[in-house]
Coordinates of all heavy atoms in Angstrom, one line a residue:
M1 N 0.3 12.3 47.4 CA -0.1 11.0 46.9 C -1.0 11.1 45.7 O -0.9 10.4 44.7 CB -0.7 10.1 48.0 CG -0.8 8.7 47.7 SD 0.8 7.9 47.5 CE 0.4 6.3 47.0
L2 N -2.0 12.0 45.8 CA -3.0 12.1 44.8 C -2.3 12.6 43.5 O -2.7 12.2 42.4 CB -4.1 13.0 45.2 CG -5.3 13.2 44.3 CD1 -5.9 11.8 44.1 CD2 -6.3 14.2 44.8
E3 N -1.3 13.5 43.6 CA -0.6 14.1 42.4 C 0.2 13.0 41.7 O 0.2 13.0 40.5 CB 0.2 15.3 42.8 CG -0.6 16.5 43.2 CD 0.4 17.7 43.5 OE1 1.5 17.6 43.0 OE2 -0.1 18.6 44.1
S4 N 0.8 12.1 42.5 CA 1.6 11.1 41.8 C 0.7 10.1 41.1 O 1.0 9.6 40.1 CB 2.5 10.4 42.8 OG 1.7 9.7 43.8
D5 N -0.5 9.8 41.7 CA -1.4 8.9 41.1 C -1.9 9.5 39.8 O -2.0 8.8 38.7 CB -2.6 8.6 42.0 CG -2.3 7.7 43.1 OD1 -1.2 7.0 43.0 OD2 -3.1 7.6 44.1
F6 N -2.2 10.8 39.8 CA -2.6 11.5 38.6 C -1.5 11.5 37.5 O -1.8 11.3 36.3 CB -3.0 12.9 38.9 CG -3.6 13.7 37.8 CD1 -4.8 13.3 37.2 CD2 -2.9 14.7 37.2 CE1 -5.3 14.0 36.1 CE2 -3.3 15.4 36.1 CZ -4.6 15.0 35.6
A7 N -0.3 11.7 38.0 CA 0.9 11.7 37.0 C 1.0 10.3 36.4 O 1.3 10.2 35.2 CB 2.1 12.1 37.7
I8 N 0.9 9.3 37.2 CA 1.0 7.9 36.7 C -0.1 7.7 35.7 O 0.1 7.1 34.6 CB 1.0 6.9 37.8 CG1 2.3 7.0 38.6 CG2 0.8 5.5 37.3 CD1 2.3 6.2 39.9
L9 N -1.3 8.1 36.0 CA -2.5 8.0 35.1 C -2.2 8.7 33.7 O -2.4 8.1 32.7 CB -3.7 8.5 35.7 CG -5.0 8.4 34.9 CD1 -5.4 6.9 34.7 CD2 -6.1 9.2 35.5
V10 N -1.8 9.9 33.8 CA -1.5 10.7 32.6 C -0.4 10.0 31.8 O -0.5 9.9 30.6 CB -1.1 12.2 33.0 CG1 -0.5 12.9 31.8 CG2 -2.3 12.9 33.6
Y11 N 0.7 9.6 32.5 CA 1.8 8.9 31.8 C 1.2 7.6 31.1 O 1.6 7.4 29.9 CB 2.8 8.5 32.8 CG 4.0 7.7 32.2 CD1 5.0 8.4 31.4 CD2 4.1 6.4 32.4 CE1 6.0 7.7 30.9 CE2 5.2 5.7 31.9 CZ 6.1 6.3 31.1 OH 7.1 5.6 30.5
G12 N 0.4 6.9 31.8 CA -0.2 5.7 31.2 C -1.0 6.0 29.9 O -0.9 5.3 28.9
V13 N -1.8 7.0 30.0 CA -2.6 7.4 28.9 C -1.8 7.9 27.7 O -2.0 7.5 26.6 CB -3.7 8.5 29.3 CG1 -4.3 9.1 28.1 CG2 -4.7 7.9 30.3
V14 N -0.8 8.7 28.0 CA 0.1 9.2 27.0 C 0.8 8.0 26.3 O 0.9 7.9 25.1 CB 1.1 10.2 27.5 CG1 2.2 10.5 26.5 CG2 0.4 11.5 27.9
V15 N 1.4 7.1 27.1 CA 2.1 5.9 26.5 C 1.1 5.1 25.7 O 1.4 4.6 24.6 CB 2.8 5.1 27.6 CG1 3.3 3.8 27.1 CG2 3.9 5.9 28.2
G16 N -0.1 4.9 26.2 CA -1.1 4.1 25.5 C -1.5 4.7 24.2 O -1.5 4.0 23.1
F17 N -1.7 6.0 24.2 CA -2.1 6.7 22.9 C -0.9 6.7 21.9 O -1.1 6.6 20.7 CB -2.6 8.1 23.1 CG -4.1 8.1 23.4 CD1 -4.5 8.3 24.7 CD2 -5.0 8.0 22.4 CE1 -5.9 8.3 25.0 CE2 -6.3 8.0 22.6 CZ -6.8 8.1 23.9
S18 N 0.3 6.8 22.5 CA 1.5 6.7 21.6 C 1.6 5.4 20.9 O 1.8 5.3 19.7 CB 2.8 6.9 22.4 OG 2.8 8.2 23.0
F19 N 1.4 4.3 21.6 CA 1.4 3.0 21.0 C 0.3 2.8 20.0 O 0.5 2.3 18.9 CB 1.4 1.9 22.1 CG 2.7 1.6 22.7 CD1 2.9 1.8 24.0 CD2 3.7 1.0 21.9 CE1 4.1 1.5 24.6 CE2 5.0 0.7 22.5 CZ 5.2 1.0 23.9
F20 N -0.9 3.3 20.4 CA -2.0 3.2 19.4 C -1.7 4.0 18.2 O -2.0 3.6 17.1 CB -3.2 3.8 20.1 CG -4.4 3.7 19.2 CD1 -5.1 2.5 18.9 CD2 -4.9 4.9 18.6 CE1 -6.2 2.5 18.1 CE2 -6.0 4.9 17.8 CZ -6.7 3.7 17.5
G21 N -1.1 5.2 18.3 CA -0.8 6.0 17.1 C 0.2 5.4 16.3 O 0.1 5.4 15.0
I22 N 1.3 4.8 16.9 CA 2.3 4.1 16.1 C 1.7 2.9 15.4 O 2.0 2.6 14.2 CB 3.5 3.7 17.0 CG1 4.2 4.9 17.5 CG2 4.4 2.7 16.3 CD1 5.2 4.6 18.6
W23 N 0.9 2.1 16.1 CA 0.2 1.0 15.5 C -0.6 1.4 14.3 O -0.6 0.8 13.2 CB -0.6 0.2 16.5 CG -1.5 -0.8 15.9 CD1 -1.2 -2.1 15.5 CD2 -2.9 -0.6 15.6 NE1 -2.2 -2.7 14.9 CE2 -3.3 -1.9 15.0 CE3 -3.8 0.4 15.8 CZ2 -4.6 -2.0 14.6 CZ3 -5.1 0.2 15.4 CH2 -5.5 -1.0 14.8
F24 N -1.4 2.4 14.5 CA -2.3 2.9 13.4 C -1.5 3.4 12.2 O -1.9 3.1 11.1 CB -3.2 4.0 14.0 CG -4.3 4.5 13.0 CD1 -5.4 3.7 12.8 CD2 -4.1 5.7 12.3 CE1 -6.4 4.1 12.0 CE2 -5.1 6.1 11.4 CZ -6.2 5.3 11.3
F25 N -0.5 4.1 12.4 CA 0.4 4.7 11.3 C 1.0 3.5 10.5 O 0.9 3.5 9.3 CB 1.5 5.5 11.9 CG 2.5 5.9 10.9 CD1 2.2 6.9 10.0 CD2 3.7 5.3 10.8 CE1 3.2 7.3 9.0 CE2 4.7 5.7 9.9 CZ 4.4 6.6 9.0
Y26 N 1.6 2.5 11.2 CA 2.2 1.4 10.4 C 1.2 0.5 9.8 O 1.4 0.0 8.7 CB 3.2 0.7 11.4 CG 4.5 1.4 11.6 CD1 4.7 2.0 12.8 CD2 5.4 1.5 10.5 CE1 5.9 2.7 13.0 CE2 6.6 2.2 10.7 CZ 6.8 2.8 11.9 OH 8.0 3.5 12.1
D27 N 0.0 0.4 10.4 CA -1.0 -0.4 9.8 C -1.5 0.2 8.5 O -1.6 -0.5 7.5 CB -2.2 -0.6 10.8 CG -3.2 -1.5 10.2 OD1 -2.9 -2.7 10.0 OD2 -4.4 -1.1 10.1
Q28 N -1.8 1.5 8.5 CA -2.2 2.2 7.3 C -1.1 2.2 6.3 O -1.4 2.0 5.1 CB -2.6 3.7 7.7 CG -3.8 3.8 8.5 CD -5.0 3.2 7.8 OE1 -5.3 3.6 6.7 NE2 -5.8 2.4 8.5
R29 N 0.1 2.4 6.7 CA 1.2 2.4 5.7 C 1.3 1.0 5.0 O 1.5 0.9 3.8 CB 2.5 2.7 6.4 CG 3.7 2.9 5.4 CD 5.0 2.9 6.1 NE 5.3 1.6 6.6 CZ 6.4 1.2 7.2 NH1 7.4 2.1 7.3 NH2 6.6 0.0 7.6
D30 N 1.3 0.0 5.8 CA 1.4 -1.4 5.2 C 0.2 -1.7 4.3 O 0.3 -2.3 3.3 CB 1.5 -2.4 6.3 CG 2.8 -2.4 7.0 OD1 3.7 -1.7 6.5 OD2 2.9 -3.0 8.1
H31 N -1.0 -1.2 4.7 CA -2.2 -1.4 3.9 C -2.0 -0.7 2.5 O -2.4 -1.3 1.5 CB -3.4 -0.9 4.6 CG -4.7 -1.1 3.9 ND1 -5.2 -2.4 3.7 CD2 -5.5 -0.3 3.3 CE1 -6.3 -2.3 3.0 NE2 -6.5 -1.0 2.7
R32 N -1.5 0.5 2.6 CA -1.3 1.3 1.3 C -0.3 0.6 0.4 O -0.5 0.4 -0.8 CB -0.9 2.7 1.6 CG -2.0 3.6 1.9 CD -1.5 5.1 1.9 NE -0.4 5.3 2.8 CZ -0.5 5.7 4.1 NH1 -1.7 5.9 4.6 NH2 0.6 5.9 4.8
R33 N 0.8 0.1 1.0 CA 1.8 -0.7 0.2 C 1.2 -1.9 -0.4 O 1.4 -2.2 -1.6 CB 2.9 -1.1 1.1 CG 3.9 0.0 1.4 CD 5.0 -0.5 2.2 NE 6.0 0.5 2.5 CZ 7.0 0.4 3.3 NH1 7.2 -0.8 3.9 NH2 7.8 1.4 3.6
F34 N 0.4 -2.6 0.4 CA -0.2 -3.9 -0.1 C -1.2 -3.6 -1.2 O -1.1 -4.3 -2.3 CB -0.9 -4.6 1.1 CG -1.7 -5.8 0.6 CD1 -1.0 -7.0 0.3 CD2 -3.0 -5.8 0.6 CE1 -1.7 -8.1 -0.1 CE2 -3.7 -6.9 0.2 CZ -3.0 -8.1 -0.2
E35 N -2.0 -2.6 -1.1 CA -3.0 -2.3 -2.1 C -2.3 -1.8 -3.4 O -2.7 -2.1 -4.5 CB -3.9 -1.2 -1.6 CG -5.0 -1.7 -0.7 CD -5.9 -2.7 -1.3 OE1 -6.3 -2.6 -2.4 OE2 -6.2 -3.7 -0.6
K36 N -1.2 -1.0 -3.2 CA -0.5 -0.5 -4.4 C 0.2 -1.7 -5.1 O 0.2 -1.7 -6.4 CB 0.6 0.5 -3.9 CG 1.3 1.1 -5.1 CD 2.3 2.2 -4.5 CE 3.1 2.8 -5.7 NZ 4.1 3.7 -5.2
E37 N 0.7 -2.6 -4.4 CA 1.3 -3.8 -5.0 C 0.3 -4.7 -5.7 O 0.5 -5.3 -6.7 CB 2.2 -4.5 -4.0 CG 3.1 -5.6 -4.6 CD 4.2 -5.0 -5.4 OE1 4.6 -3.9 -5.2 OE2 4.5 -5.7 -6.4
R38 N -0.9 -4.8 -5.0 CA -1.9 -5.8 -5.5 C -2.6 -5.3 -6.7 O -2.9 -6.1 -7.6 CB -2.9 -6.0 -4.3 CG -3.8 -7.2 -4.6 CD -4.6 -7.4 -3.3 NE -5.6 -6.4 -3.1 CZ -6.9 -6.5 -3.3 NH1 -7.3 -7.6 -3.7 NH2 -7.7 -5.5 -3.0
R39 N -2.9 -4.0 -6.7 CA -3.7 -3.5 -7.8 C -2.8 -3.1 -9.0 O -2.4 -2.0 -9.2 CB -4.5 -2.3 -7.4 CG -5.4 -2.6 -6.2 CD -6.5 -1.7 -6.1 NE -7.4 -2.0 -5.0 CZ -8.4 -2.8 -5.1 NH1 -8.8 -3.3 -6.2 NH2 -9.1 -3.0 -4.0
K40 N -2.5 -4.1 -9.8 CA -1.7 -3.8 -11.0 C -2.5 -4.4 -12.2 O -3.3 -5.3 -12.1 CB -0.4 -4.5 -10.9 CG 0.5 -3.9 -9.9 CD 2.0 -4.2 -10.1 CE 2.8 -3.3 -9.2 NZ 4.2 -3.3 -9.5
V41 N -2.2 -3.8 -13.4 CA -2.8 -4.3 -14.6 C -1.7 -5.1 -15.4 O -0.6 -4.6 -15.5 CB -3.2 -3.1 -15.4 CG1 -3.8 -3.5 -16.8 CG2 -4.2 -2.2 -14.7
T42 N -2.1 -6.2 -15.9 CA -1.2 -7.1 -16.6 C -1.3 -6.9 -18.1 O -2.4 -6.7 -18.6 CB -1.5 -8.6 -16.3 OG1 -1.5 -8.7 -14.8 CG2 -0.5 -9.5 -16.9
F43 N -0.2 -6.8 -18.8 CA -0.2 -6.7 -20.2 C 0.6 -7.8 -20.8 O 1.5 -8.4 -20.2 CB 0.6 -5.4 -20.6 CG -0.1 -4.1 -20.1 CD1 0.2 -3.6 -18.8 CD2 -1.0 -3.5 -20.9 CE1 -0.4 -2.4 -18.4 CE2 -1.7 -2.3 -20.4 CZ -1.4 -1.8 -19.2
H44 N 0.1 -8.2 -22.0 CA 0.8 -9.3 -22.8 C 1.2 -8.6 -24.1 O 0.4 -8.1 -24.9 CB -0.1 -10.4 -23.0 CG 0.5 -11.5 -23.9 ND1 -0.1 -11.9 -25.1 CD2 1.6 -12.2 -23.8 CE1 0.6 -12.8 -25.6 NE2 1.7 -13.0 -24.9
C45 N 2.5 -8.7 -24.4 CA 3.0 -8.1 -25.6 C 2.8 -9.0 -26.8 O 3.1 -10.2 -26.7 CB 4.5 -7.8 -25.5 SG 5.2 -7.0 -26.9
I46 N 2.1 -8.5 -27.8 CA 1.8 -9.3 -29.0 C 3.0 -9.5 -29.9 O 3.0 -10.3 -30.8 CB 0.6 -8.8 -29.8 CG1 0.8 -7.4 -30.2 CG2 -0.7 -8.9 -28.9 CD1 -0.3 -6.8 -31.1
R47 N 4.0 -8.7 -29.7 CA 5.2 -8.7 -30.6 C 6.2 -9.7 -30.0 O 6.7 -10.6 -30.7 CB 5.8 -7.4 -30.7 CG 7.0 -7.4 -31.7 CD 7.7 -6.0 -31.8 NE 6.9 -5.1 -32.6 CZ 7.2 -3.8 -32.7 NH1 8.3 -3.3 -32.0 NH2 6.5 -3.0 -33.4
C48 N 6.6 -9.6 -28.7 CA 7.6 -10.5 -28.2 C 7.1 -11.5 -27.2 O 7.9 -12.2 -26.5 CB 8.7 -9.6 -27.6 SG 8.2 -8.8 -26.1
S49 N 5.8 -11.5 -27.0 CA 5.2 -12.5 -26.0 C 5.6 -12.3 -24.6 O 5.4 -13.2 -23.8 CB 5.4 -13.9 -26.4 OG 4.9 -14.2 -27.7
G50 N 6.1 -11.1 -24.3 CA 6.4 -10.8 -22.9 C 5.2 -10.4 -22.0 O 4.2 -9.9 -22.6
I51 N 5.2 -10.8 -20.8 CA 4.2 -10.4 -19.9 C 4.7 -9.5 -18.8 O 5.8 -9.7 -18.3 CB 3.6 -11.7 -19.2 CG1 2.9 -12.5 -20.3 CG2 2.6 -11.3 -18.1 CD1 2.3 -13.8 -19.7
Y52 N 4.1 -8.3 -18.6 CA 4.6 -7.3 -17.7 C 3.4 -6.7 -17.1 O 2.2 -6.8 -17.5 CB 5.5 -6.3 -18.4 CG 4.9 -5.6 -19.6 CD1 4.3 -4.3 -19.4 CD2 4.8 -6.2 -20.8 CE1 3.7 -3.7 -20.5 CE2 4.2 -5.6 -21.9 CZ 3.7 -4.3 -21.7 OH 3.1 -3.7 -22.8
S53 N 3.6 -5.9 -16.0 CA 2.5 -5.3 -15.3 C 2.9 -3.8 -15.0 O 4.0 -3.5 -14.9 CB 2.2 -6.0 -14.0 OG 3.3 -6.0 -13.2
E54 N 1.8 -3.0 -14.9 CA 2.0 -1.6 -14.5 C 0.9 -1.3 -13.5 O 0.0 -2.1 -13.2 CB 1.8 -0.7 -15.8 CG 3.0 -0.7 -16.7 CD 4.2 -0.1 -16.1 OE1 4.1 0.8 -15.4 OE2 5.3 -0.7 -16.4
S55 N 1.0 -0.1 -12.9 CA 0.1 0.3 -11.9 C -1.3 0.5 -12.5 O -1.4 0.7 -13.7 CB 0.6 1.6 -11.2 OG 0.7 2.6 -12.2
R56 N -2.3 0.5 -11.7 CA -3.7 0.5 -12.1 C -4.0 1.9 -12.7 O -3.4 2.9 -12.4 CB -4.6 0.3 -10.9 CG -6.0 0.1 -11.3 CD -6.8 -0.1 -10.0 NE -8.2 -0.4 -10.3 CZ -8.7 -1.6 -10.5 NH1 -8.0 -2.6 -10.4 NH2 -10.0 -1.7 -10.8
G57 N -4.9 1.9 -13.7 CA -5.3 3.2 -14.3 C -4.8 3.4 -15.7 O -5.1 4.3 -16.3
T58 N -4.0 2.4 -16.2 CA -3.5 2.6 -17.6 C -4.1 1.5 -18.4 O -4.2 0.3 -18.0 CB -2.0 2.5 -17.6 OG1 -1.6 1.2 -17.0 CG2 -1.3 3.6 -16.9
S59 N -4.6 1.9 -19.6 CA -5.2 0.9 -20.5 C -4.2 0.4 -21.6 O -4.3 -0.7 -22.1 CB -6.4 1.4 -21.2 OG -7.4 1.7 -20.3
F60 N -3.2 1.3 -21.8 CA -2.2 1.0 -22.8 C -0.9 1.3 -22.2 O -0.7 2.2 -21.4 CB -2.4 1.8 -24.1 CG -3.6 1.4 -24.9 CD1 -4.8 2.1 -24.7 CD2 -3.5 0.4 -25.8 CE1 -5.9 1.8 -25.4 CE2 -4.7 0.1 -26.5 CZ -5.9 0.8 -26.3
C61 N 0.1 0.4 -22.5 CA 1.4 0.6 -21.9 C 2.5 0.0 -22.9 O 2.2 -1.0 -23.5 CB 1.5 -0.1 -20.6 SG 3.1 0.1 -19.7
S62 N 3.6 0.6 -23.0 CA 4.7 0.1 -23.8 C 5.4 -1.0 -23.2 O 5.6 -1.0 -22.0 CB 5.7 1.3 -24.1 OG 5.0 2.3 -24.8
C63 N 5.8 -2.0 -24.0 CA 6.5 -3.1 -23.5 C 7.9 -2.7 -23.1 O 8.6 -2.0 -23.8 CB 6.6 -4.2 -24.6 SG 7.5 -5.6 -24.2
P64 N 8.3 -3.1 -21.9 CA 9.7 -2.7 -21.5 C 10.8 -3.4 -22.2 O 11.9 -3.0 -22.2 CB 9.7 -3.1 -20.0 CG 8.7 -4.2 -19.8 CD 7.6 -3.9 -20.9
M65 N 10.4 -4.5 -22.9 CA 11.5 -5.3 -23.7 C 11.6 -4.8 -25.1 O 12.7 -4.7 -25.6 CB 11.2 -6.8 -23.6 CG 11.3 -7.3 -22.2 SD 10.7 -9.0 -22.0 CE 9.0 -8.6 -21.5
C66 N 10.5 -4.6 -25.8 CA 10.6 -4.2 -27.2 C 10.0 -2.8 -27.5 O 10.2 -2.3 -28.6 CB 9.9 -5.3 -28.1 SG 8.2 -5.3 -28.0
G67 N 9.3 -2.2 -26.6 CA 8.7 -0.9 -26.8 C 7.4 -0.9 -27.5 O 6.8 0.2 -27.7
H68 N 6.8 -2.0 -27.9 CA 5.5 -2.1 -28.6 C 4.4 -1.7 -27.6 O 4.4 -2.2 -26.5 CB 5.3 -3.4 -29.2 CG 4.0 -3.6 -30.0 ND1 3.9 -3.0 -31.2 CD2 2.8 -4.2 -29.7 CE1 2.7 -3.2 -31.7 NE2 2.0 -3.9 -30.7
E69 N 3.5 -0.9 -28.0 CA 2.4 -0.5 -27.1 C 1.3 -1.5 -27.2 O 0.7 -1.8 -28.2 CB 1.9 0.9 -27.5 CG 0.9 1.4 -26.4 CD 0.6 2.9 -26.6 OE1 1.6 3.6 -26.5 OE2 -0.6 3.2 -26.7
N70 N 0.9 -2.0 -26.0 CA -0.1 -3.1 -25.9 C -1.3 -2.6 -25.0 O -1.1 -1.8 -24.1 CB 0.5 -4.3 -25.3 CG 1.6 -4.9 -26.1 OD1 1.4 -5.4 -27.2 ND2 2.9 -4.7 -25.6
G71 N -2.4 -3.2 -25.3 CA -3.6 -3.0 -24.5 C -3.6 -4.0 -23.3 O -2.8 -4.9 -23.3
R72 N -4.4 -3.6 -22.3 CA -4.4 -4.5 -21.1 C -4.9 -5.9 -21.4 O -5.7 -6.0 -22.3 CB -5.1 -3.8 -20.0 CG -6.6 -3.7 -20.3 CD -7.3 -3.0 -19.2 NE -7.4 -3.8 -18.0 CZ -8.0 -3.5 -16.9 NH1 -8.6 -2.4 -16.8 NH2 -8.0 -4.4 -15.9
L73 N -4.4 -6.8 -20.6 CA -4.8 -8.2 -20.8 C -6.2 -8.4 -20.1 O -6.3 -8.0 -18.9 CB -3.8 -9.1 -20.2 CG -3.9 -10.6 -20.4 CD1 -3.8 -10.9 -21.9 CD2 -2.8 -11.3 -19.7
R74 N -7.1 -8.9 -20.8 CA -8.5 -9.2 -20.3 C -8.8 -10.7 -20.3 O -8.4 -11.4 -21.2 CB -9.5 -8.4 -21.1 CG -9.4 -7.0 -21.0 CD -10.5 -6.3 -21.9 NE -10.2 -4.9 -22.1 CZ -10.6 -3.9 -21.2 NH1 -11.2 -4.2 -20.2 NH2 -10.3 -2.7 -21.5
F75 N -9.4 -11.1 -19.2 CA -9.7 -12.5 -19.1 C -11.2 -12.8 -19.3 O -12.0 -12.0 -19.0 CB -9.3 -13.1 -17.7 CG -7.8 -13.0 -17.5 CD1 -7.3 -11.9 -16.7 CD2 -7.0 -13.9 -18.0 CE1 -5.9 -11.9 -16.5 CE2 -5.6 -13.9 -17.8 CZ -5.1 -12.8 -17.1
Ligands
LIG101 ZN1 7.4 -6.7 -26.3

């Protein structure tokens, strides 16, 4: 009887940590996706008036519509 109780306890702990691990993995993944999507730099093309965005860390970027290189939009 004691061995089966121990086995049930070990099973419960393993299942609990598995769910915790899965939750932690997906939470971190979603957080990274959200931050990557949120942190973008906006550019305004002075040639064709287009507005576009690129990932963070770039100060200059070529316009996807006309190819003119623009500086980042500052407010
Ligand atoms: Zn343009």
Side-chain angles (χ1 to χ4, degrees):
M1 190 66 184
L2 188 61
E3 287 184 21
S4 68
D5 288 346
F6 183 72
I8 290 170
L9 178 69
V10 169
Y11 178 76
V13 168
V14 168
V15 169
F17 274 104
S18 299
F19 279 115
F20 180 75
I22 291 168
W23 169 79
F24 187 76
F25 171 76
Y26 283 106
D27 185 60
Q28 292 296 310
R29 188 193 69 174
D30 291 347
H31 183 71
R32 280 193 303 269
R33 282 184 181 174
F34 175 73
E35 286 296 318
K36 186 177 178 184
E37 191 65 31
R38 190 173 71 105
R39 301 202 182 270
K40 290 201 168 190
V41 178
T42 305
F43 296 91
H44 175 237
C45 182
I46 57 174
R47 183 183 285 171
C48 70
S49 296
I51 294 178
Y52 56 98
S53 63
E54 286 294 322
S55 60
R56 190 178 182 93
T58 55
S59 296
F60 292 94
C61 184
S62 297
C63 176
M65 292 169 271
C66 69
H68 184 73
E69 188 166 303
N70 299 288
R72 66 182 290 183
L73 190 61
R74 295 179 192 274
F75 296 100

